[in-house]
């Protein structure tokens, strides 16, 4: 049965819930690109939970159990589904924070849905109908990334596949558009265009500065522009921000060049909150 998208998507319960809405303060999706170990996941999650509690931000902890779209066959992909679900469950129990992970196949949807709160559809897979329908049927909230190859108005069809399968809890995520070789650009017009479809919009500030395949055997990035793009997106108006973070990005197993150092997150978020307050004050 087809439903209309919810303009406000609530993830988690109690004081740790995160609310994604174009009208309220943005919520944050943050964590390391891939899950490296239990200890590492707990370290980053603990710091993010404490920081967001102090700043009054809703948080969804993010990490990928499998990076299936690595540039090189030899690249590290994560700790795997079964082990990662155990870690996610323990993080939720310890911190009370909702969690998000990517899924890549229809079978993975049912496997991760009992544990995670948000299923994320990678940009490369945003038009895979069977995957979208399987994700929708879990009842989980869904964050679907706009393909680098799509115009923002094309996301209407993506959204309709999910809501047409009975799930109204959808967020549309902007992560840049392909612009020549190894380059992405962010068109801020896409944010209000997608918001007009009725679902909250999330801006992915870290993957928007990616340089796909830019280092030959791995992806490059320009993390120095994360703040620039995030400030612009928040000034336009978004329901959420997606920012990957790590204690040592330059030595991270994936997406290091575009991740923000965890010690820089407070300064960045304080600035973004100030922009958000101004943008939504009227």
């Amino acid at each position: 049965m087809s439903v209309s998208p919810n303009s406000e998507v609530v993830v988690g319960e109690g004081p740790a819930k995160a609310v994604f809405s174009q009208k309220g303060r943005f919520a944050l999706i943050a964590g390391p690109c891939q899950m490296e170990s239990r200890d590492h996941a707990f370290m980053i999650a603990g710091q993010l939970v404490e920081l967001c509690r102090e700043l009054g931000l809703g948080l969804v902890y993010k990490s990928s159990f499998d990076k299936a779209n690595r540039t090189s066959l030899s690249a590290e992909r994560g700790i795997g589904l079964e082990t990662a679900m155990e870690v996610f469950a323990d993080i939720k129990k310890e911190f009370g924070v909702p969690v998000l992970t990517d899924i890549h196949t229809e079978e993975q949807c049912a496997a991760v849905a009992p544990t995670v709160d948000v299923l994320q559809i990678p940009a490369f897979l945003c038009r895979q109908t069977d995957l979208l329908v399987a994700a929708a049927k879990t009842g989980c909230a869904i964050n679907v990334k706009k393909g680098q190859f799509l115009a923002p108005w094309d996301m209407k069809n993506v959204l309709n596949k999910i809501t047409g399968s009975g799930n109204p809890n959808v967020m549309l995520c902007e992560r840049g558009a392909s612009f020549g070789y190894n380059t992405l650009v962010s068109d801020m017009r896409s944010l209000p265009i997608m918001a007009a479809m009725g679902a909250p919009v999330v801006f992915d500030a870290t993957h928007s500065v990616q340089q796909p395949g830019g280092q030959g055997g791995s992806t490059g990035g320009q993390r120095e522009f994360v703040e620039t793009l995030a400030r612009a997106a928040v000034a336009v108006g978004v329901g959420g921000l997606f920012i990957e973070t790590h204690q040592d990005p330059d030595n991270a197993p994936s997406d290091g060049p575009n991740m923000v150092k965890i010690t820089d997150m407070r300064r960045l978020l304080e600035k973004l909150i100030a922009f958000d307050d101004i943008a939504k004050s009227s």
Side-chain angles (χ1 to χ4, degrees):
M1 180 178 67
S2 183
V3 295
S4 298
N6 286 337
S7 60
E8 179 179 281
V9 175
V10 181
V11 182
E13 300 176 348
K17 69 182 180 184
V19 180
F20 294 84
S21 168
Q22 297 299 115
K23 295 181 179 180
R25 174 169 288 178
F26 68 85
L28 179 68
I29 299 171
C33 178
Q34 66 173 255
M35 191 175 286
E36 300 173 27
S37 69
R38 177 186 177 85
D39 289 345
H40 185 261
F42 265 74
M43 177 187 68
I44 299 294
Q47 292 185 58
L48 287 171
V49 167
E50 181 178 359
L51 174 60
C52 288
R53 185 181 298 124
E54 292 175 2
L55 296 178
L57 283 178
L59 170 68
V60 177
Y61 177 76
K62 176 269 169 192
S63 198
S64 299
F65 64 85
D66 178 25
K67 298 298 293 183
N69 59 345
R70 300 304 307 277
T71 302
S72 170
L73 181 63
S74 62
E76 293 183 53
R77 291 179 51 165
I79 64 175
L81 191 153
E82 185 174 340
T83 302
M85 291 307 109
E86 294 175 356
V87 175
F88 277 132
D90 289 343
I91 284 175
K92 291 176 65 174
K93 183 177 180 180
E94 176 72 19
F95 301 112
V97 64
V99 298
L100 171 153
T101 197
D102 303 279
I103 43 91
H104 303 89
T105 67
E106 299 149 58
E107 295 76 18
Q108 288 176 351
C109 295
V112 307
T115 303
V116 305
D117 301 276
V118 185
L119 303 181
Q120 183 162 276
I121 308 294
F124 289 128
L125 301 177
C126 70
R127 290 186 60 177
Q128 296 297 105
T129 301
D130 290 342
L131 178 61
L132 295 173
V133 171
K137 289 182 176 179
T138 66
C140 290
I142 298 172
N143 185 41
V144 56
K145 293 195 174 185
K146 179 178 74 63
Q148 303 92 324
F149 44 86
L150 287 183
W153 42 87
D154 292 330
M155 288 298 285
K156 182 68 173 178
N157 297 318
V158 175
L159 178 62
N160 287 343
K161 290 179 182 180
I162 299 171
T163 57
S165 300
N167 192 331
N169 293 312
V170 191
M171 298 174 285
L172 302 178
C173 184
E174 172 60 57
R175 52 87 22 100
S178 294
F179 186 74
Y181 298 127
N182 307 124
T183 304
L184 298 171
V185 296
S186 294
D187 181 358
M188 295 301 163
R189 296 176 302 174
S190 72
L191 303 177
I193 290 172
M194 291 196 295
M197 298 174 191
V201 173
V202 176
F203 182 72
D204 182 343
T206 42
H207 288 95
S208 291
V209 301
Q210 230 181 22
Q211 294 175 314
Q215 295 182 347
S218 63
T219 289
Q222 296 175 298
R223 83 169 64 96
E224 66 269 24
F225 294 122
V226 168
E227 180 177 327
T228 301
L229 295 181
R231 286 168 61 167
V234 170
V236 171
V238 291
L241 283 175
F242 180 108
I243 302 176
E244 288 187 337
T245 185
H246 195 277
Q247 86 284 359
D248 185 13
D250 291 332
N251 291 297
S254 59
D255 271 347
N258 44 272
M259 281 198 283
V260 175
K261 195 169 184 179
I262 188 73
T263 52
D264 292 334
M265 285 291 284
R266 177 181 293 275
R267 180 192 60 81
L268 173 61
L269 291 172
E270 287 175 343
K271 285 187 178 182
L272 297 176
I273 288 171
F275 275 85
D276 192 60
D277 287 346
I278 293 172
K280 294 171 180 172
S281 61
S282 58

